[in-house]
């Protein structure tokens, strides 16, 4: 089969393998994932393209977060002016999973917690000590490929999140500055502070993100999930509004912050701890 850049993503006969082997084409190139790999236990899974945009997202952005519609972005996690981060609602949460969409509800990527052992999941189910242990997350693009890796080392009172590229290249750190009152984080890269995340209330629901000169460059707003979901599940939903295209590494650190703010704070008691 001859493939071109306009060929839609999906499973196709492997051009370099046996005729019965299917390989995943991500829309621009062949990936390493074969259908046989996907069926094997523990093999990385390539998510199928969403059937269509989530119709609930525009309401979440405009009415719940108060973000006015903006012009179209570049269609990626790092080029959209608005990112919507919705955690998968589960009565018993054993693994953090987030869907990331644009302001129209089109899926751009996901955030998945990785590296959890069976014992760790049992511990999470039985007690709340999991919030103090090390957490590792992958930020993946729309084709399931990792674009950022995040590690939050074991904590007692303050959180620190280490951000790297998939090849291990360091990007920076997000470091909690205080414990009581309005929670603030420093955004560090290359040994220097390049920005900060400042909670606007003590429950740490809304954040202003500023650059090194204290100019606001982005904003995170937690959106109301509804009474039933809030009482009986641990789902958290956020909207990130980026005011203008940011330089690296600040851009990657802002995206990492917005997509993992709940894990950094680990608010297991609905904002109380």
């Amino acid at each position: 089969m001859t493939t071109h850049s306009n060929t839609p993503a999906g499973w196709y006969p492997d051009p370099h393998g046996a005729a019965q082997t299917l390989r995943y084409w991500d829309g621009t190139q062949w990936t390493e994932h074969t259908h046989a790999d996907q069926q094997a236990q523990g093999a990385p899974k390539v998510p199928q393209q969403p059937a269509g945009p989530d119709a609930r997202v525009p309401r979440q952005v405009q009415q719940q977060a108060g973000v006015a519609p903006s012009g179209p972005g570049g269609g990626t996690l790092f080029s959209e002016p608005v990112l919507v981060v919705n955690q998968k609602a589960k009565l018993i949460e054993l693994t953090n999973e987030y869907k990331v969409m644009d302001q129209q509800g089109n899926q751009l990527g996901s955030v998945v917690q990785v590296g959890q052992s069976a014992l760790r999941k049992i511990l999470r189910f039985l007690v709340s000590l999991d919030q103090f242990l090390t957490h590792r997350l992958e930020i993946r693009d729309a084709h399931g490929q990792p674009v950022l890796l995040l590690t939050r080392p074991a904590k007692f009172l303050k959180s620190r999140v280490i951000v790297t590229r998939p090849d291990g290249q360091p990007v920076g750190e997000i470091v909690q500055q205080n414990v009581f009152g309005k929670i603030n984080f420093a955004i560090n890269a290359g040994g220097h502070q390049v920005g900060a995340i400042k909670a606007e209330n003590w429950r740490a629901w809304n954040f202003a993100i500023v650059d090194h000169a204290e100019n606001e460059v982005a904003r995170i707003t937690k959106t109301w999930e509804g009474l039933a979901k809030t009482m009986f599940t641990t789902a958290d939903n956020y909207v990130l509004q980026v005011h203008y295209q940011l330089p690296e590494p600040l851009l990657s650190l802002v995206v990492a912050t917005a997509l993992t703010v709940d894990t950094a704070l680990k608010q297991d008691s609905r904002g109380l701890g």
Side-chain angles (χ1 to χ4, degrees):
M1 172 185 174
T2 302
T3 53
H4 304 279
S5 60
N6 60 350
T7 301
W11 295 101
Y12 296 99
D14 188 345
H16 306 298
Q20 65 269 26
T21 301
L22 297 179
R23 185 169 294 276
Y24 194 80
W25 169 261
D26 68 6
T28 59
Q29 62 183 353
W30 293 107
T31 72
E32 61 181 9
H33 302 294
T34 66
H35 194 263
D37 293 336
Q38 191 181 26
Q39 302 305 312
Q41 184 177 2
K45 298 182 183 300
V46 180
Q48 298 298 313
Q49 295 296 305
D54 189 329
R56 299 168 294 180
V57 167
R59 177 179 176 275
Q60 181 182 347
V61 171
Q62 298 170 31
Q63 297 182 26
Q64 295 176 281
V67 175
S70 59
T76 71
L77 294 171
F78 303 104
S79 60
E80 285 291 330
V82 176
L83 294 179
V84 180
V85 187
N86 288 348
Q87 187 174 14
K88 185 176 181 180
K90 293 169 283 188
L91 290 175
I92 300 175
E93 181 192 352
L94 298 180
T95 302
N96 292 339
E97 296 180 39
Y98 296 83
K99 179 188 293 186
V100 187
M101 295 163 284
D102 64 15
Q103 59 192 314
Q104 285 80 37
N106 301 298
Q107 186 165 353
L108 302 174
S110 60
V111 182
V112 179
Q113 186 172 3
V114 296
Q116 278 192 303
S117 65
L119 178 61
R120 174 73 174 270
K121 292 184 178 181
I122 294 172
L123 180 66
R124 185 166 186 168
F125 173 69
L126 295 176
V127 295
S128 61
L129 293 177
D130 177 74
Q131 63 177 299
F132 302 110
L133 303 179
T134 298
H135 287 250
R136 294 181 176 85
L137 301 105
E138 286 186 353
I139 296 178
R140 301 171 179 173
D141 63 18
H143 307 300
Q145 301 301 308
V147 292
L148 289 175
L149 306 180
L150 292 89
T151 301
R152 197 211 71 186
K155 72 162 189 173
F156 176 58
L157 292 175
K158 294 181 180 179
S159 290
R160 180 170 66 99
V161 176
I162 303 167
V163 184
T164 64
R165 305 291 180 193
D167 61 2
Q169 178 183 357
V171 178
E173 295 187 353
I174 304 160
V175 182
Q176 187 174 344
Q177 300 293 291
N178 61 309
V179 176
F180 302 105
K182 299 177 181 179
I183 304 299
N184 294 324
F185 292 82
I187 303 176
N188 301 328
H192 303 282
Q193 184 170 344
V194 297
I197 306 110
K198 299 184 176 183
E200 298 189 334
N201 48 62
W202 71 272
R203 292 175 66 87
W205 276 12
N206 301 324
F207 296 85
I209 303 179
V210 300
D211 61 15
H212 68 284
E214 295 291 319
N215 300 309
E216 183 176 308
V217 297
R219 175 170 292 271
I220 301 172
T221 303
K222 184 173 181 177
T223 53
W224 178 248
E225 316 100 307
L227 182 60
K229 186 179 290 186
T230 298
M231 291 180 63
F232 297 109
T233 77
T234 57
D236 284 301
N237 302 327
Y238 296 87
V239 173
L240 169 69
Q241 181 182 20
V242 181
H243 300 329
Y244 55 88
Q245 187 66 30
L246 301 176
E248 289 290 358
L250 182 58
L251 174 59
S252 289
L253 291 169
V254 167
V255 170
T257 297
L259 303 194
T260 60
V261 65
D262 180 61
T263 297
L265 290 176
K266 205 55 197 160
Q267 299 177 63
D268 296 289
S269 300
R270 313 306 305 159
L272 296 176

